[in-house]
Amino acid sequence: MDSNQILSELNTIFKDVLDNNKIQLTTATTAKDIEEWDSLSNIHLVIEIERHFKLKFTTSEIQSWKNIGELVNSIEKKTSK
Amino acid sequence: MYGQYTFSDLKSNLKKDFSGFKKVKLALLSDSASQFLNIAIKGFGYNRQLHFEIYEADYNQVDLQVSDPFSELYTFNPDFIFINFSTEKLLTAFYETESSLQGVFSDLVLQTIQKYMDVIFSRTRSKLIINTYPEINDSVFGNYSSKNEASFIYQLRKINLLLMEKSQENKDLLICDLAVLQAELGYSFISDKKMYAMADMVYSVDAVPYVAKIITDIILSYQGTFNKCLILDLDNTIWGGIIGDDGMEGIQLGHLGLGKVYTELQLWAKQLKQRGILLAICSKNTEEIAKEPFIKHPDMVLRMDDIAMFVANWETKVENIRYIQSILNIGFDSMVFVDDNPFEREMVKSAIPELTVPDLPEDPANYLAYLRSLNLFETASFTEEDSERTKQYQEETLRNILQRSFDNGNDFLANLGMTAIVKTFDEFCIPRVAQLTQRSNQFNLRTIRYTEEDIRFLCKDPDFLTISLSLEDRIGHHGLIAVIILKKQDEYSLFIDTWIMSCRVLKRGMENFTMNMIIDLAKENNFEKIIGEYLPTNKNGIVTNHYKDLGFELMDNKWFLDVASYQEKNTFITNSNKAWTAIRY
């Protein structure tokens, strides 16, 4: 799966979980850019992302992402294996 | 079945319209992060038409919220308090306990819980829900733990048992059995170590809907919403095969074919019947053929006297279920219909949406485990009268037949030979009285729910007068069927705090008899006015005109009756205890 495809699928998950249809993710997006994205919804996001892409992150991976781009990279690495 | 609600489903329910749903105030105190649980409970409430108003205490504030008399907990004034303890925190506390005290760790935990109970029950009228602990063997002693009192799993199991014992001692302590949930789903399903590490959440996102269901089940049963009747299909539901085709010898029961599956299902149904659940049969069959196994088959567990109503004919199931409902006179929303045939189920579901119709798995081998997992028969009480309920409904059918032999209702009533036993509440009747206040929805003027503790409390209060009424006739005993609680409003007036009657005795003139009793009591004690009130709910429409029909007059939403000008009402019921008005202030 290429990174654009991942980004677009992530966008759907974010809209859904955060209940905000206006979200437009880019690789530079961070939690600061989206009001609904707090520590609680972050957990819910991670669970839904894991479920959607059928993969598991480690806790340190989850804590390492600085922006959406790094999350996309993580997913790309795991799905290409 | 309730696994079908995912956390996301429940979360999206929060945006829906809760107006018109029953409101319940729930305080959620937790020693782990409880935000997801909060969302799930509120969302689950929507599926059961409950509008939860939830106060969620800040993280790990149990002790502070309970001990501080000015805490948000007490300001909130909840109907229910759920204190959610986690095994993870228990384990940490166990490790922090001096090793010389680890052998009595369960006693220490129970002391804390007792302390919480004392404080909460002295400051509020709330019910307290505490969970049992899911089991972890910390593998310090391995299987040797059983031999060592000071092992964690030994102490944990002891705590769970002591919690159950404590809830038997105290009616307002309710148990949310997470240990059983874990037994069903497994520890790896209900916990999520990653969420625990990152956010201190102990339950997995897949587990919270199940916890929410347990909490909702408990609360609904204490609000008077629970199932009272199980309607069973016959062919391929309670025996294997088709009685009309396979005959008595051919149906699968006991050791024949898959018989064990059906026999075990019947054993379960019989236990439910003994607990007070009415069993009804609804089958497309010729009646005599359908009844034959109940009378003659050696491996049948259910017999004719276990069945409150037996309906076998060639009408549609929808019509027959409506008929059963009309005779038993309980709401569709308190009935469960079990049928192996998906087509019949869909027909019934779409015609009677209030009815609970479980989607049985395809394989009969899974029927019983599936039905058990749904927890369809949650209850808030159990009294000795419950086990008599089926017999009473059977007698009711006999009365119906007798009634048809009379041209007019009064002749029938006169012929019944009804006698009432009138008493003030005593220790024997308190469980049943409390239960009537919990269960009765229709003939209930103000729908005030009381626990046994409440009733005992009010028996001691000199401002209250209580009357319990039991009824019998030449066909049988109805048991305790009406409850009156009167409160002295001032020197001259008595307020009817509670007037409840079981719908089993509608149209017997019990209202007239009871009113005469209230007047006698008022006269004996020199009251001049009786004041009644009707608080409408979705279910008590049948008593809208109750006070009007008895001659009360409406003023400012209250009903007034002048004792002196009361005309004694006609009744066919005799009082077995003429001296009963000896109860007085």
Side-chain angles (χ1 to χ4, degrees):
Chain A
M1 205 182 302
D2 68 34
S3 54
N4 282 335
Q5 176 69 22
I6 293 172
L7 189 64
S8 119
E9 288 180 22
L10 275 180
N11 209 39
T12 315
I13 297 173
F14 270 67
K15 282 180 180 174
D16 214 34
V17 170
L18 302 180
D19 194 26
N20 177 350
N21 263 324
K22 293 187 191 119
I23 293 174
Q24 277 299 340
L25 294 181
T26 69
T27 51
T29 307
T30 70
K32 281 188 204 126
D33 303 320
I34 301 173
E35 200 194 327
E36 296 87 354
W37 188 0
D38 57 18
S39 60
L40 185 68
S41 54
N42 188 53
I43 294 169
H44 193 194
L45 278 169
V46 169
I47 290 161
E48 294 301 332
I49 293 166
E50 287 184 335
R51 196 162 289 177
H52 179 84
F53 292 99
K54 300 189 177 62
L55 46 80
K56 290 278 178 194
F57 300 113
T58 65
T59 41
S60 51
E61 278 170 330
I62 295 165
Q63 283 161 350
S64 72
W65 305 318
K66 306 241 167 7
N67 56 34
I68 289 293
E70 296 191 16
L71 168 60
V72 173
N73 286 342
S74 266
I75 297 172
E76 202 174 358
K77 242 186 269 167
K78 281 180 189 276
T79 49
S80 65
K81 267 180 201 163
Chain B
M1 170 158 110
Y2 295 104
Q4 76 191 3
Y5 301 122
T6 64
F7 177 72
S8 298
D9 294 339
L10 298 180
K11 190 177 170 191
S12 64
N13 278 352
L14 300 193
K15 282 172 288 176
K16 295 182 181 161
D17 181 14
F18 284 75
S19 59
F21 290 0
K22 191 182 280 180
K23 279 193 185 166
V24 175
K25 288 170 92 174
L26 171 70
L28 177 58
L29 311 183
S30 187
D31 66 2
S32 61
S34 52
Q35 294 95 327
F36 279 17
L37 192 56
N38 180 348
I39 294 168
I41 293 175
K42 188 140 176 50
F44 204 95
Y46 181 85
N47 296 332
R48 302 289 192 85
Q49 292 168 27
L50 273 186
H51 183 173
F52 280 117
E53 192 186 325
I54 300 180
Y55 162 69
E56 183 187 355
D58 286 345
Y59 170 69
N60 211 359
Q61 275 205 347
V62 182
D63 207 75
L64 185 77
Q65 287 291 332
V66 172
S67 51
D68 175 7
F70 304 107
S71 68
E72 290 99 328
L73 170 68
Y74 298 114
T75 318
F76 179 63
N77 191 22
D79 303 306
F80 293 86
I81 300 170
F82 177 28
I83 302 188
N84 177 225
F85 291 121
S86 63
T87 302
E88 284 74 3
K89 294 295 155 71
L90 187 77
L91 185 60
T92 308
F94 180 75
Y95 290 158
E96 286 168 352
T97 302
E98 263 180 66
S99 56
S100 63
L101 291 175
Q102 284 180 333
V104 292
F105 181 66
S106 53
D107 299 324
L108 302 176
V109 170
L110 264 292
Q111 275 167 22
T112 308
I113 289 173
Q114 182 65 54
K115 191 184 82 192
Y116 290 166
M117 285 168 59
D118 291 344
V119 178
I120 287 172
F121 294 143
S122 70
R123 288 182 190 155
T124 72
R125 306 284 312 262
S126 313
K127 297 197 190 315
L128 175 62
I129 308 174
I130 294 182
N131 57 283
T132 55
Y133 290 92
E135 295 186 358
I136 302 178
N137 189 333
D138 65 351
S139 297
V140 170
F141 288 96
N143 287 291
Y144 191 80
S145 301
S146 302
K147 286 189 179 292
N148 181 6
E149 210 181 25
S151 70
F152 179 67
I153 187 67
Y154 187 94
Q155 291 298 317
L156 180 148
R157 288 202 176 121
K158 205 167 163 189
I159 292 169
N160 283 348
L161 192 64
L162 289 170
L163 275 173
M164 291 166 86
E165 283 177 5
K166 208 154 258 314
S167 81
Q168 292 181 14
E169 290 161 19
N170 190 309
K171 298 279 177 194
D172 289 330
L173 174 66
L174 319 175
I175 300 298
C176 162
D177 206 340
L178 295 188
V180 160
L181 184 71
Q182 181 204 16
E184 185 103 11
L185 301 173
Y187 184 69
S188 58
F189 181 93
I190 68 160
S191 67
D192 186 329
K193 288 301 163 199
K194 204 153 64 188
M195 273 165 62
Y196 178 58
M198 291 194 306
D200 213 35
M201 286 188 181
V202 294
Y203 307 116
S204 72
V205 74
D206 292 327
V208 282
Y210 287 90
V211 182
K213 171 175 160 29
I214 300 178
I215 296 297
T216 313
D217 280 349
I218 293 174
I219 289 177
L220 271 174
S221 74
Y222 277 84
Q223 301 278 321
T225 304
F226 42 76
N227 289 320
K228 300 171 182 170
C229 172
L230 172 62
I231 307 173
L232 295 163
D233 169 53
L234 296 179
D235 293 334
N236 287 318
T237 299
I238 71 160
W239 56 62
I242 295 166
I243 184 73
D245 296 341
D246 303 327
M248 267 265 287
E249 299 74 23
I251 55 171
Q252 296 170 40
L253 274 172
H255 295 290
L256 187 63
L258 267 182
K260 183 167 73 177
V261 166
Y262 300 101
T263 301
E264 287 181 6
L265 182 76
Q266 289 196 22
L267 283 166
W268 180 66
K270 181 128 178 161
Q271 288 295 308
L272 287 173
K273 177 244 163 180
Q274 281 163 10
R275 206 216 80 193
I277 300 295
L278 299 169
L279 302 182
I281 298 297
C282 177
S283 165
K284 276 190 179 154
N285 257 311
T286 305
E287 190 173 343
E288 298 77 58
I289 295 174
K291 281 185 174 168
E292 212 185 343
F294 287 83
I295 299 162
K296 292 184 189 156
H297 198 297
D299 292 326
M300 276 292 283
V301 177
L302 296 176
R303 297 291 176 191
M304 285 309 291
D305 46 330
D306 296 318
I307 309 299
M309 273 198 75
F310 198 109
V311 182
N313 55 38
W314 299 95
E315 305 286 327
T316 67
K317 300 241 162 154
V318 173
E319 276 173 65
N320 281 334
I321 290 171
R322 289 214 166 103
Y323 174 67
I324 291 170
Q325 188 274 337
S326 72
I327 299 289
L328 296 182
N329 203 11
I330 53 179
F332 283 124
D333 60 355
S334 61
M335 305 172 103
V336 178
F337 174 54
V338 173
D339 194 317
D340 67 300
N341 184 333
F343 175 76
E344 299 279 13
R345 292 201 300 258
E346 285 313 312
M347 285 248 302
V348 169
K349 255 193 251 180
S350 60
I352 314 172
E354 310 96 295
L355 199 72
T356 302
V357 186
D359 282 314
L360 286 187
E362 201 183 328
D363 188 345
N366 295 321
Y367 284 178
L368 182 55
Y370 174 72
L371 287 171
R372 278 197 305 241
S373 77
L374 301 182
N375 186 28
L376 293 164
F377 297 100
E378 182 77 25
T379 183
S381 64
F382 175 68
T383 70
E384 281 177 21
E385 285 208 10
D386 289 344
S387 50
E388 294 293 306
R389 195 167 292 131
T390 298
K391 205 172 122 226
Q392 286 163 349
Y393 278 90
Q394 288 164 343
E395 288 167 359
E396 195 52 27
T397 310
L398 286 178
R399 287 187 193 95
N400 280 331
I401 295 165
L402 179 70
Q403 184 165 17
R404 275 183 228 139
S405 68
F406 288 92
D407 292 336
N408 92 41
N410 283 352
D411 290 350
F412 162 68
L413 291 179
N415 184 278
L416 262 182
M418 292 181 287
T419 309
I421 298 111
V422 187
K423 281 182 184 168
T424 189
F425 298 168
D426 56 29
E427 198 47 44
F428 300 104
C429 80
I430 284 175
R432 170 66 179 157
V433 167
Q435 190 193 42
L436 266 177
T437 73
Q438 305 278 349
R439 290 177 69 103
S440 303
N441 297 314
Q442 300 179 78
F443 198 111
N444 193 340
L445 273 300
R446 295 179 73 237
T447 321
I448 311 286
R449 313 290 192 195
Y450 289 113
T451 63
E452 291 181 31
E453 298 303 314
D454 296 336
I455 299 286
R456 280 194 190 93
F457 195 71
L458 119 200
C459 284
K460 285 184 210 135
D461 187 330
D463 278 350
F464 284 92
L465 263 179
T466 62
I467 311 174
S468 73
L469 297 117
S470 307
L471 187 67
E472 54 188 61
D473 59 33
R474 63 187 181 84
I475 290 175
H477 295 263
H478 291 282
L480 201 164
I481 41 75
V483 168
I484 303 286
I485 298 172
L486 302 168
K487 186 172 194 276
K488 178 179 172 181
Q489 180 142 325
D490 55 49
E491 216 179 316
Y492 309 103
S493 14
L494 266 183
F495 176 66
I496 305 176
D497 171 88
T498 294
W499 188 332
I500 296 173
M501 195 176 81
S502 162
C503 284
R504 296 206 296 264
V505 295
L506 276 179
K507 295 186 184 136
R508 296 284 158 76
M510 194 68 199
E511 303 90 307
N512 287 355
F513 176 84
T514 309
M515 193 64 230
N516 292 344
M517 289 297 109
I518 294 173
I519 293 290
D520 286 350
L521 189 59
K523 281 183 182 161
E524 285 272 325
N525 292 286
N526 301 318
F527 287 102
E528 295 169 8
K529 272 200 176 5
I530 312 282
I531 304 164
E533 186 182 30
Y534 167 62
L535 299 177
T537 68
N538 289 335
K539 293 188 167 179
N540 70 356
I542 58 167
V543 287
T544 312
N545 293 321
H546 176 68
Y547 287 123
K548 190 178 168 203
D549 295 344
L550 288 170
F552 284 66
E553 276 171 35
L554 185 64
M555 264 188 295
D556 298 332
N557 286 323
K558 295 256 168 67
W559 292 90
F560 292 84
L561 183 80
D562 191 26
V563 173
S565 60
Y566 177 76
Q567 298 282 320
E568 191 167 314
K569 297 274 179 298
N570 189 26
T571 172
F572 296 96
I573 303 168
T574 43
N575 186 349
S576 73
N577 175 16
K578 287 289 178 202
W580 79 281
T581 46
I583 39 171
R584 68 185 73 195
Y585 289 115

